[in-house]
Amino acid sequence: MKIGIDKMSFYTPAFYVDMVELAEAREIDPNKFTIGIGQDQMGFAPLSQDAVTMGANAALNLLTPEDIAAIDLVIFASESGIDHSKAGAVYIHRLLGLPKHARAIEFKEACYAATAGLSYAQNHVAAHPDKKALVIGSDIARYGLSTPGEPTQGAGAVAMLVTANPRCLAFNNDNVYMTEDIMDFWRPLYSETAVVQGKYSTEQYVHFFEEMWATYTEKTRLSLADFEALCFHLPYTKMGKKALDTIITTVDEEKQAELLNYYQLSTKYSRQIGNIYTGSLYLGLMSLLEHQTTLTEGSRLGLFSYGSGAVAEFFSATLVEGFANQLYTAAHTEQLAQRKRLSIPEYEELFKATLPTDGSDYSIDEKLDQAPIKLVGMKEHMRLYTAK
């Protein structure tokens, strides 16, 4: 029995920052942002959007009444959780009107957690092939104004429906993974922004990929020539290429050109949205599938997942017949086109706005955001969500 992703979608808030304008405001050469790290725009989440609302909005495109009736597992993967105790999946379960008799849990391990969620969901569906699992990766990458990490911020979520006999792609059950306790990126409980050792983190990302690739090829006896394309976790779009460059010379020039072309297609959405942590690998996967015109049934795709701290995984999936019918290209294109560009002063003002941390009641101007699901305030230490 094949198990995999039946369909998937993403959501990013209705605001973005132009990276050329940001660079100029910070008195930095714009090429360092648009070419050096490969970012054109940066998605921005106002107070009305948090990891929960973005995750729920990402799933809205996907779910039919038949899907909703069959979902009995919701996994919320995030490093932007809103509560130390209660899982964000519980809120999403209610906001989407999912069945009462379902599990709802939250996973955390930096940017890797959605991959762990997919593995858990796969095992669940294998045991219950008539059921479906909803896996969500949702995050707000936030480093602070005028910090070195500012151009690698972003906001968004992905939602993936895992089923038996999937209509998009099937997992090949060839996963390899590893863990090492390192301090390349972390966020202490007392901090609203992350701590990152940028150069070291990049080095570890590449190191983990090289080790994962060596382990994978030894295990499977596959080579780079057996893959149509590779997708990577993309904290910024140039990061994945640093890993790809370590193995690309193992194939001929024609194959290299194909892989590089597919890689560039996989970065298109990330160039417009920025870093979304747990969802970034799968945003890249959607970008590849929704921009390419030459992949076919049976194409093998490689996926490299990395979460600082650090855990990494490499695995493959195969496109199934009719996969193109499961894509939401038009909806995603429209969503990006309808966003509002924030001026730098507007961005800075919205960035400084924060929810109370002392339990005070708080209302958010509902005119700020027309999303179907949003946060409208806080009362008695509780977040108040609305769904149209």
Side-chain angles (χ1 to χ4, degrees):
M1 177 177 59
K2 293 181 179 179
I3 299 173
I5 298 174
D6 188 66
K7 46 188 173 178
M8 52 187 167
S9 185
F10 74 78
Y11 173 82
T12 189
F15 302 96
Y16 74 92
V17 176
D18 181 86
M19 298 301 284
V20 171
E21 292 184 6
L22 181 63
E24 291 173 345
R26 302 295 181 254
E27 298 183 345
I28 295 172
D29 179 357
N31 288 336
K32 291 186 176 181
F33 292 174
T34 59
I35 299 175
I37 63 173
Q39 296 299 134
D40 296 323
Q41 298 170 351
M42 180 177 75
F44 179 81
L47 282 186
S48 54
Q49 290 297 317
D50 61 15
V52 166
T53 60
M54 292 191 303
N57 281 316
L60 282 179
N61 285 339
L62 295 181
L63 304 180
T64 66
E66 292 76 19
D67 292 329
I68 290 173
I71 291 172
D72 69 345
L73 173 64
V74 184
I75 296 175
F76 175 71
S78 181
E79 55 184 282
S80 309
I82 63 166
D83 191 282
H84 290 312
S85 178
K86 184 175 179 179
V90 175
Y91 295 97
I92 290 173
H93 174 274
R94 173 180 63 83
L95 290 167
L96 295 177
L98 299 179
K100 178 179 180 179
H101 297 288
R103 292 188 177 114
I105 52 179
E106 183 168 339
F107 282 9
K108 180 180 76 175
E109 175 17 54
C111 303
Y112 165 77
T115 299
L118 285 179
S119 291
Y120 188 101
Q122 180 181 1
N123 290 336
H124 178 79
V125 171
H128 309 281
D130 59 328
K131 297 296 184 180
K132 301 180 180 183
L134 178 63
V135 178
I136 288 172
S138 181
D139 274 299
I140 298 171
R142 184 180 172 95
Y143 298 101
L145 300 175
S146 300
T147 63
E150 184 179 28
T152 64
Q153 296 179 140
V158 299
M160 300 172 282
L161 193 65
V162 178
T163 71
N165 302 314
R167 293 171 292 174
C168 187
L169 56 84
F171 302 133
N172 291 327
N173 301 318
D174 53 6
N175 307 45
V176 294
Y177 31 82
M178 65 180 283
T179 296
E180 288 184 4
D181 184 4
I182 62 173
M183 300 299 287
D184 61 328
F185 170 101
W186 68 102
R187 183 167 70 84
L189 292 176
Y190 54 78
S191 178
E192 288 297 317
T193 57
V195 180
V196 60
Q197 300 188 67
K199 181 179 179 182
Y200 178 61
S201 188
T202 298
E203 292 170 350
Q204 290 303 305
Y205 176 101
V206 174
H207 158 66
F208 270 70
F209 174 75
E210 289 180 302
E211 185 151 343
M212 286 292 85
W213 180 253
T215 303
Y216 179 84
T217 55
E218 181 179 2
K219 173 184 176 179
T220 63
R221 301 301 176 187
L222 296 173
S223 70
L224 186 56
D226 295 303
F227 289 83
E228 292 299 319
L230 299 185
C231 294
F232 296 82
H233 165 55
L234 296 173
Y236 54 89
T237 66
K238 281 295 183 69
M239 180 74 107
K241 189 175 183 299
K242 294 177 185 293
L244 180 59
D245 284 346
T246 65
I247 61 171
I248 197 165
T249 57
T250 61
V251 293
D252 62 36
E253 291 186 359
E254 181 179 357
K255 185 66 174 180
Q256 288 182 38
E258 291 177 356
L259 289 167
L260 289 172
N261 178 59
Y262 284 137
Y263 176 78
Q264 293 303 325
L265 295 179
S266 77
T267 68
K268 283 184 174 290
Y269 285 150
S270 294
R271 289 190 72 99
Q272 299 174 78
I273 295 172
N275 191 1
I276 62 169
Y277 289 159
T278 51
S280 73
L281 167 60
Y282 303 100
L283 181 64
L285 173 60
M286 277 183 267
S287 183
L288 170 65
L289 296 182
E290 295 180 6
H291 289 97
Q292 63 76 38
T293 58
T294 51
L295 293 174
T296 60
E297 171 192 355
S299 294
R300 181 187 292 270
L301 309 179
L303 298 103
F304 175 62
S305 181
Y306 177 82
S308 293
V311 181
E313 187 160 341
F314 186 89
F315 62 105
S316 76
T318 299
L319 295 176
V320 302
E321 182 180 3
F323 73 90
N325 297 325
Q326 296 300 98
L327 304 178
Y328 292 81
T329 310
H332 292 152
T333 300
E334 181 180 8
Q335 181 187 159
L336 291 171
Q338 290 182 343
R339 293 182 303 167
K340 175 187 176 183
R341 178 179 57 81
L342 296 173
S343 69
I344 301 305
E346 287 174 327
Y347 152 66
E348 293 177 340
E349 181 180 1
L350 289 172
F351 190 97
K352 293 173 184 176
T354 59
L355 295 171
T357 57
D358 60 358
S360 302
D361 291 354
Y362 188 86
S363 295
I364 298 172
D365 183 1
E366 293 195 42
K367 296 179 182 178
L368 177 69
D369 186 359
Q370 301 303 311
I373 297 174
K374 57 188 176 182
L375 174 68
V376 295
M378 296 186 67
K379 186 175 183 180
E380 297 178 352
H381 299 277
M382 294 180 288
R383 294 196 179 206
L384 306 177
Y385 293 110
T386 61
K388 292 182 181 178

